[in-house]
Coordinates of all heavy atoms in Angstrom, one line a residue:
E1 N 93.8 88.9 103.7 CA 93.7 89.7 102.4 C 94.9 89.6 101.5 O 94.8 89.4 100.3 CB 93.4 91.1 102.7 CG 93.1 92.0 101.6 CD 92.7 93.5 102.0 OE1 92.0 93.6 102.9 OE2 93.2 94.3 101.3
I2 N 96.1 89.5 102.1 CA 97.3 89.3 101.3 C 97.3 88.1 100.5 O 97.8 88.0 99.4 CB 98.6 89.4 102.2 CG1 98.7 90.9 102.8 CG2 99.8 89.0 101.5 CD1 99.8 91.0 103.9
E3 N 96.7 87.0 101.1 CA 96.6 85.7 100.5 C 95.3 85.5 99.6 O 95.0 84.5 99.1 CB 96.6 84.6 101.5 CG 97.9 84.6 102.4 CD 99.1 84.6 101.5 OE1 99.2 83.8 100.7 OE2 100.0 85.5 101.8
G4 N 94.5 86.6 99.5 CA 93.3 86.5 98.7 C 92.1 86.0 99.4 O 91.2 85.5 98.8
V5 N 92.2 85.8 100.7 CA 91.2 85.2 101.5 C 90.3 86.4 102.1 O 90.9 87.2 102.9 CB 91.7 84.4 102.7 CG1 90.6 83.8 103.5 CG2 92.6 83.2 102.1
R6 N 89.1 86.5 101.8 CA 88.3 87.6 102.3 C 87.7 87.3 103.7 O 87.2 86.3 104.0 CB 87.1 87.8 101.4 CG 86.3 89.1 101.7 CD 85.1 89.3 100.7 NE 84.4 90.6 101.1 CZ 83.5 90.7 102.0 NH1 83.2 89.6 102.8 NH2 82.9 91.8 102.3
S7 N 87.9 88.3 104.5 CA 87.3 88.3 105.9 C 87.0 89.7 106.2 O 87.7 90.6 105.8 CB 88.2 87.6 106.9 OG 89.5 88.2 106.9
T8 N 86.1 90.0 107.1 CA 85.8 91.3 107.5 C 86.2 91.6 109.0 O 86.3 90.6 109.8 CB 84.3 91.7 107.3 OG1 83.5 90.9 108.3 CG2 83.9 91.4 105.9
R9 N 86.3 92.8 109.4 CA 86.6 93.2 110.8 C 85.5 92.6 111.7 O 85.8 92.1 112.8 CB 86.7 94.7 110.9 CG 87.9 95.2 110.1 CD 88.0 96.7 110.4 NE 88.8 97.0 111.6 CZ 88.8 98.2 112.2 NH1 87.9 99.1 111.8 NH2 89.5 98.3 113.3
R10 N 84.3 92.9 111.3 CA 83.2 92.4 112.1 C 83.2 90.9 112.3 O 82.9 90.4 113.3 CB 81.8 92.8 111.5 CG 80.6 92.5 112.4 CD 79.4 93.2 111.9 NE 79.6 94.7 111.9 CZ 78.8 95.6 111.3 NH1 77.7 95.1 110.7 NH2 79.0 96.8 111.3
E11 N 83.5 90.1 111.1 CA 83.5 88.7 111.2 C 84.6 88.2 112.2 O 84.3 87.4 113.0 CB 83.8 88.2 109.8 CG 83.7 86.7 109.6 CD 83.9 86.3 108.2 OE1 84.4 87.1 107.3 OE2 83.7 85.1 107.9
I12 N 85.8 88.8 112.1 CA 86.8 88.4 113.0 C 86.5 88.9 114.4 O 86.8 88.1 115.4 CB 88.2 88.9 112.6 CG1 88.5 88.5 111.1 CG2 89.3 88.6 113.5 CD1 88.6 86.9 111.0
G13 N 86.0 90.0 114.6 CA 85.6 90.5 115.9 C 84.5 89.6 116.6 O 84.7 89.3 117.8
E14 N 83.6 89.1 115.8 CA 82.6 88.1 116.3 C 83.2 86.8 116.7 O 82.9 86.3 117.8 CB 81.5 87.9 115.3 CG 80.6 89.1 115.1 CD 79.6 89.0 114.0 OE1 79.7 88.0 113.3 OE2 78.7 89.8 113.8
V15 N 84.2 86.3 116.0 CA 84.9 85.1 116.3 C 85.7 85.4 117.6 O 85.7 84.5 118.6 CB 85.9 84.7 115.3 CG1 86.7 83.5 115.7 CG2 85.2 84.3 114.0
L16 N 86.3 86.5 117.8 CA 87.1 86.8 119.1 C 86.1 86.8 120.3 O 86.5 86.3 121.3 CB 87.8 88.1 118.9 CG 88.7 88.6 120.0 CD1 89.8 87.6 120.3 CD2 89.3 90.0 119.7
E17 N 85.0 87.4 120.1 CA 84.0 87.5 121.1 C 83.5 86.1 121.5 O 83.4 85.8 122.7 CB 82.8 88.4 120.7 CG 81.8 88.7 121.8 CD 80.7 89.7 121.3 OE1 81.0 90.5 120.4 OE2 79.7 89.7 121.9
R18 N 83.2 85.3 120.5 CA 82.7 84.0 120.8 C 83.8 83.1 121.5 O 83.5 82.3 122.5 CB 82.3 83.2 119.5 CG 81.0 83.8 118.9 CD 80.4 82.7 118.0 NE 81.3 82.3 116.9 CZ 81.4 82.9 115.8 NH1 80.8 84.0 115.5 NH2 82.3 82.4 114.9
L19 N 85.1 83.3 121.1 CA 86.2 82.7 121.7 C 86.3 82.9 123.2 O 86.5 82.0 124.0 CB 87.5 83.0 121.0 CG 88.7 82.3 121.4 CD1 88.6 80.8 121.1 CD2 89.9 82.8 120.7
R20 N 86.0 84.2 123.5 CA 86.1 84.6 124.9 C 85.0 84.0 125.7 O 85.0 84.1 127.0 CB 86.2 86.1 125.1 CG 87.6 86.6 124.6 CD 87.7 88.0 124.5 NE 89.1 88.4 124.3 CZ 89.5 89.6 123.7 NH1 88.5 90.5 123.5 NH2 90.7 89.9 123.5
E21 N 83.9 83.6 125.1 CA 82.7 83.0 125.7 C 82.8 81.4 125.6 O 81.8 80.7 125.9 CB 81.4 83.5 125.1 CG 81.2 85.0 125.3 CD 80.0 85.5 124.4 OE1 79.5 84.7 123.6 OE2 79.7 86.7 124.6
N22 N 84.0 80.9 125.3 CA 84.3 79.5 125.1 C 83.4 78.8 124.1 O 83.2 77.6 124.1 CB 84.1 78.8 126.5 CG 85.2 79.1 127.5 OD1 86.4 79.2 127.1 ND2 84.8 79.3 128.7
D23 N 83.0 79.6 123.1 CA 82.3 79.0 121.9 C 83.4 78.8 120.8 O 83.9 79.8 120.2 CB 81.3 80.0 121.4 CG 80.5 79.5 120.2 OD1 80.9 78.4 119.6 OD2 79.5 80.2 119.8
R24 N 83.8 77.6 120.6 CA 84.9 77.3 119.7 C 84.4 76.7 118.4 O 84.9 75.7 117.9 CB 86.0 76.4 120.4 CG 86.5 77.0 121.7 CD 87.5 76.2 122.4 NE 87.9 76.7 123.7 CZ 88.8 77.7 123.8 NH1 89.5 78.1 122.7 NH2 89.1 78.2 125.0
H25 N 83.5 77.5 117.7 CA 83.1 77.1 116.5 C 83.1 78.2 115.5 O 83.2 79.4 115.9 CB 81.6 76.6 116.6 CG 81.4 75.4 117.5 ND1 81.2 75.5 118.8 CD2 81.4 74.1 117.3 CE1 81.1 74.3 119.4 NE2 81.2 73.4 118.5
G26 N 83.0 77.9 114.2 CA 83.0 78.9 113.2 C 84.3 79.1 112.4 O 85.4 78.6 112.8
R27 N 84.2 79.7 111.3 CA 85.3 80.0 110.4 C 86.2 80.9 111.0 O 85.9 81.8 111.8 CB 84.7 80.7 109.1 CG 85.7 80.7 108.0 CD 85.1 81.4 106.8 NE 86.0 81.5 105.7 CZ 86.0 82.3 104.6 NH1 85.0 83.2 104.6 NH2 86.9 82.3 103.7
F28 N 87.5 80.7 110.8 CA 88.7 81.5 111.2 C 88.9 81.4 112.7 O 89.7 82.2 113.3 CB 88.5 83.1 110.8 CG 88.3 83.4 109.4 CD1 87.2 83.9 108.9 CD2 89.3 82.9 108.5 CE1 87.1 84.3 107.6 CE2 89.2 83.2 107.2 CZ 88.1 83.9 106.7
L29 N 88.3 80.4 113.3 CA 88.6 80.2 114.7 C 90.1 79.9 115.0 O 90.6 80.5 116.0 CB 87.8 79.0 115.3 CG 88.1 78.6 116.7 CD1 87.6 79.7 117.7 CD2 87.4 77.2 117.1
G30 N 90.7 79.1 114.2 CA 92.1 78.7 114.5 C 93.1 79.9 114.5 O 93.9 80.1 115.4
I31 N 92.9 80.8 113.5 CA 93.8 81.9 113.3 C 93.5 82.9 114.4 O 94.6 83.6 114.9 CB 93.7 82.5 111.9 CG1 94.9 83.4 111.6 CG2 92.5 83.2 111.6 CD1 95.1 83.7 110.2
V32 N 92.3 83.2 114.7 CA 91.9 84.1 115.8 C 92.5 83.6 117.1 O 93.1 84.4 117.9 CB 90.4 84.4 115.9 CG1 90.1 85.2 117.1 CG2 89.9 85.0 114.6
Q33 N 92.3 82.3 117.4 CA 92.7 81.8 118.7 C 94.3 81.9 118.8 O 94.8 82.2 119.9 CB 92.3 80.3 118.7 CG 92.5 79.6 120.1 CD 91.7 78.3 120.1 OE1 91.4 77.8 119.1 NE2 91.6 77.7 121.3
K34 N 95.0 81.7 117.7 CA 96.4 81.7 117.7 C 97.0 83.1 118.0 O 97.8 83.4 118.8 CB 97.0 81.1 116.4 CG 98.4 80.5 116.5 CD 98.3 79.1 117.3 CE 99.6 78.5 117.3 NZ 99.6 77.3 118.1
Y35 N 96.4 84.1 117.2 CA 96.9 85.5 117.4 C 96.5 86.0 118.8 O 97.2 86.8 119.3 CB 96.3 86.3 116.3 CG 97.1 86.4 115.0 CD1 96.9 85.6 114.0 CD2 98.2 87.3 115.0 CE1 97.7 85.7 112.8 CE2 99.0 87.4 113.8 CZ 98.8 86.5 112.8 OH 99.6 86.6 111.7
A36 N 95.3 85.6 119.3 CA 94.9 86.1 120.6 C 95.8 85.7 121.7 O 95.9 86.4 122.8 CB 93.5 85.6 120.9
L37 N 96.6 84.6 121.5 CA 97.6 84.2 122.5 C 98.8 85.1 122.6 O 99.4 85.1 123.6 CB 98.1 82.8 122.2 CG 97.2 81.6 122.3 CD1 97.8 80.4 121.7 CD2 96.8 81.4 123.7
L38 N 99.1 86.0 121.6 CA 100.3 86.7 121.6 C 100.5 87.7 122.7 O 101.6 87.9 123.1 CB 100.4 87.4 120.2 CG 100.6 86.5 119.0 CD1 100.9 87.5 117.8 CD2 101.6 85.4 119.1
E39 N 99.3 88.2 123.2 CA 99.3 89.2 124.2 C 100.0 88.7 125.5 O 100.7 89.4 126.2 CB 97.9 89.7 124.6 CG 97.8 90.6 125.7 CD 98.7 91.8 125.7 OE1 99.1 92.3 124.6 OE2 99.1 92.3 126.8
S40 N 99.8 87.4 125.8 CA 100.4 86.8 127.0 C 101.8 86.2 126.8 O 102.3 85.5 127.7 CB 99.4 85.6 127.4 OG 99.3 84.6 126.5
R41 N 102.4 86.5 125.6 CA 103.7 86.0 125.3 C 103.8 84.5 125.6 O 104.6 84.1 126.4 CB 104.7 86.8 126.1 CG 105.0 88.2 125.6 CD 106.2 88.8 126.2 NE 106.6 89.9 125.5 CZ 106.8 91.2 126.0 NH1 106.6 91.4 127.3 NH2 107.3 92.2 125.3
P42 N 103.0 83.7 124.9 CA 103.1 82.2 125.1 C 104.4 81.6 124.6 O 105.1 82.2 123.8 CB 101.9 81.7 124.3 CG 101.9 82.6 123.1 CD 102.2 84.0 123.8
D43 N 104.7 80.4 125.1 CA 105.8 79.6 124.6 C 105.3 78.7 123.4 O 104.8 77.6 123.7 CB 106.5 78.8 125.7 CG 107.8 78.2 125.3 OD1 108.2 78.4 124.1 OD2 108.2 77.3 126.0
I44 N 105.5 79.1 122.2 CA 105.1 78.3 121.0 C 106.4 77.8 120.4 O 107.2 78.5 120.0 CB 104.4 79.2 120.0 CG1 103.0 79.7 120.6 CG2 104.0 78.3 118.8 CD1 102.3 80.6 119.8
A45 N 106.5 76.4 120.4 CA 107.7 75.8 119.8 C 107.8 76.1 118.3 O 106.8 75.8 117.5 CB 107.6 74.3 120.1
V46 N 108.9 76.5 117.9 CA 109.2 76.6 116.4 C 110.7 76.2 116.2 O 111.5 76.9 115.7 CB 109.1 78.1 115.9 CG1 107.6 78.4 115.7 CG2 109.7 79.1 116.8
S47 N 110.9 74.9 116.5 CA 112.3 74.4 116.4 C 112.4 73.2 115.5 O 113.5 72.9 115.0 CB 112.8 73.9 117.8 OG 112.9 75.0 118.7
T48 N 111.3 72.5 115.2 CA 111.4 71.3 114.4 C 110.3 71.4 113.3 O 109.3 72.2 113.4 CB 111.1 70.1 115.2 OG1 109.7 70.1 115.6 CG2 112.1 70.0 116.4

C-alpha cells in the first residue's frame, strides 16, 4: 500500500495458504514466500 500497490488481507492470506500446500502460483507469491521465511530466522545474504 505504501508503494501504491493494492492487495487485500484475504488475497495475501490465500497465497500464504497455497504456499503451505506447495502451490507456488499466483500474484504476490514472491513477497509472501520471502516474508514467511522470517519466522525461522533464515540466513539471507545482504553483502553484495
Side-chain angles (χ1 to χ4, degrees):
E1 189 176 315
I2 291 170
E3 301 307 309
V5 177
R6 187 180 182 279
S7 56
T8 65
R9 297 180 87 202
R10 186 169 299 170
E11 186 177 14
I12 300 302
E14 287 173 353
V15 175
L16 183 61
E17 188 176 335
R18 290 201 305 271
L19 185 62
R20 287 171 176 163
E21 296 170 353
N22 289 319
D23 181 352
R24 302 180 184 278
H25 298 89
R27 192 182 181 203
F28 300 122
L29 173 67
I31 195 168
V32 173
Q33 192 168 11
K34 210 70 175 172
Y35 271 97
L37 290 173
L38 296 186
E39 172 56 28
S40 60
R41 286 191 165 125
D43 185 11
I44 300 174
V46 282
S47 299
T48 67

